[in-house]
């Protein structure tokens, strides 16, 4: 087995933290990173001195604010969120349902914003959460506008199931993606939980490429999809224009 390089060991320490493990003891970091306790202790000390990790009064480590400062520079993170937020707030005011925005990272979506109302349907989402592309409305919107070779590889691979309704058949997923391209929106029903439906639309950057997706998530049993589609499209188009996108003379599919 090849020994990890110094950068790989540092990254292993940081990768030990996730949404299920936001706080870890030194022993926990050692176990989850696969590093010896001595090595973990040395690296954790260096990361804490730099500010990437913080140690509380109980000796438990958390991700430090220095990493937040660095992450805020990501053009697909905080900067995109700041541009989009007024339009996402308008979409929330129009629906009073869960409003989300996500970007694609490999075969997953990463949520960069989430606005929820008190009475909105419960969702298993938070900022920074990741989900497979095929299981969410925003993921379908992003996958449908991705590179064709990537789409084919994704549809041919194993597709995780979260409910009995999750799209796990490659042929069905290909048809769903074609429908997204035809209509300009993705409708995802009961894919992650049995009680939720999402309507999503792609967000385009200045060059016209899809850079993100926005969605509204509502209770599946009384979802008014025809009424939600125009509101989601309007939000997506507003964000796209704010990013510098100029619509062509011919309207987008589904508009």
């Amino acid at each position: 087995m090849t020994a990890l390089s110094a950068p790989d060991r540092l990254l292993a320490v940081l990768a030990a933290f996730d949404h299920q493990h936001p706080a870890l003891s030194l022993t926990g970091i050692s176990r989850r990173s696969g590093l010896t306790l001595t090595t973990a202790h040395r690296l954790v000390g260096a990361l804490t001195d730099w500010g990437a990790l913080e140690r509380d009064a109980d000796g438990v480590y958390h991700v430090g604010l220095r990493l937040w400062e660095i992450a805020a520079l990501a053009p697909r993170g905080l900067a995109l969120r700041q541009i989009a937020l007024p339009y996402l707030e308008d979409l929330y005011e129009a629906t009073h349902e869960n409003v989300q925005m996500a970007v694609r990272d490999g075969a997953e979506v990463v949520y960069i914003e989430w606005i929820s109302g008190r009475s909105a349907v419960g969702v298993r989402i938070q900022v920074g959460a990741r989900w497979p592309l095929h299981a969410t409305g925003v993921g379908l919107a992003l996958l449908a506008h991705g590179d064709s070779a990537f789409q084919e590889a994704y549809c041919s691979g194993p597709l995780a199931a979260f409910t009995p309704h999750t799209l796990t058949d490659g042929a069905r997923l290909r048809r769903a993606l074609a429908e997204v391209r035809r209509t300009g929106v993705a409708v995802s029903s009961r894919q992650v939980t049995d009680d939720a439906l999402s309507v999503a639309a792609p967000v385009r950057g200045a060059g016209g490429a899809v850079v993100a997706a926005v969605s509204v998530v509502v209770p599946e049993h009384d979802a008014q999809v025809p009424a939600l589609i125009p509101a989601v499209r309007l939000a997506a188009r507003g964000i796209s224009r704010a990013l510098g996108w100029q619509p062509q003379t011919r309207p987008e599919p589904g508009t």
Side-chain angles (χ1 to χ4, degrees):
M1 181 177 178
T2 304
L4 293 176
S5 65
D8 286 338
R9 290 194 292 270
L10 279 171
L11 293 175
V13 170
L14 295 176
F17 295 85
D18 58 25
H19 283 284
Q20 286 71 47
H21 304 85
L24 291 168
S25 66
L26 181 61
T27 301
I29 294 173
S30 171
R31 182 176 63 254
R32 286 182 51 78
S33 66
L35 301 173
T36 66
L37 193 59
T38 300
T39 300
H41 181 270
R42 175 171 53 83
L43 295 176
V44 166
L47 289 168
T48 303
D49 289 342
W50 186 75
L53 297 178
E54 296 175 356
R55 185 174 183 268
D56 66 21
D58 297 322
V60 175
Y61 292 89
H62 308 258
V63 173
L65 284 177
R66 188 70 179 273
L67 285 184
W68 173 257
E69 294 175 20
I70 299 298
L73 302 175
R76 293 197 301 155
L78 187 58
L80 177 57
R81 172 190 173 275
Q82 289 174 331
I83 292 172
L85 192 55
Y87 303 94
L88 300 177
E89 290 174 338
D90 286 346
L91 180 57
Y92 172 77
E93 289 300 327
T95 63
H96 290 284
E97 300 287 357
N98 292 303
V99 171
Q100 304 167 343
M101 187 173 185
V103 297
R104 181 170 78 86
D105 186 23
E108 299 174 312
V109 294
V110 179
Y111 289 86
I112 62 173
E113 185 54 276
W114 169 46
I115 304 174
S116 178
R118 292 181 182 178
S119 60
V121 64
V123 293
R124 296 166 60 184
I125 296 300
Q126 56 186 312
V127 173
R130 292 173 174 266
W131 282 90
L133 290 167
H134 67 281
T136 66
V138 286
L140 291 174
L142 291 164
L143 182 57
H145 293 89
D147 176 79
S148 58
F150 173 78
Q151 286 184 37
E152 182 55 34
Y154 190 97
C155 291
S156 300
L159 302 172
F162 303 97
T163 74
H165 309 282
T166 307
L167 280 171
T168 57
D169 177 74
R172 287 184 60 211
L173 179 56
R174 292 183 186 93
R175 291 195 295 271
L177 298 178
E179 184 68 6
V180 173
R181 290 188 292 271
R182 185 185 71 82
T183 62
V185 294
V187 178
S188 176
S189 178
R190 298 180 291 174
Q191 297 289 300
V192 174
T193 62
D194 285 319
D195 60 349
L197 177 145
S198 69
V199 177
V203 172
R204 299 181 182 274
V210 171
V211 297
V214 60
S215 72
V216 61
V217 182
V218 301
E220 191 276 336
H221 65 88
D222 62 352
Q224 303 297 315
V225 174
L228 294 172
I229 287 176
V232 175
R233 280 181 179 154
L234 184 63
R237 286 176 66 88
I239 299 168
S240 299
R241 286 178 179 271
L243 291 173
W245 173 71
Q246 296 294 326
Q248 302 298 315
T249 302
R250 179 180 296 178
E252 290 181 277
T255 59

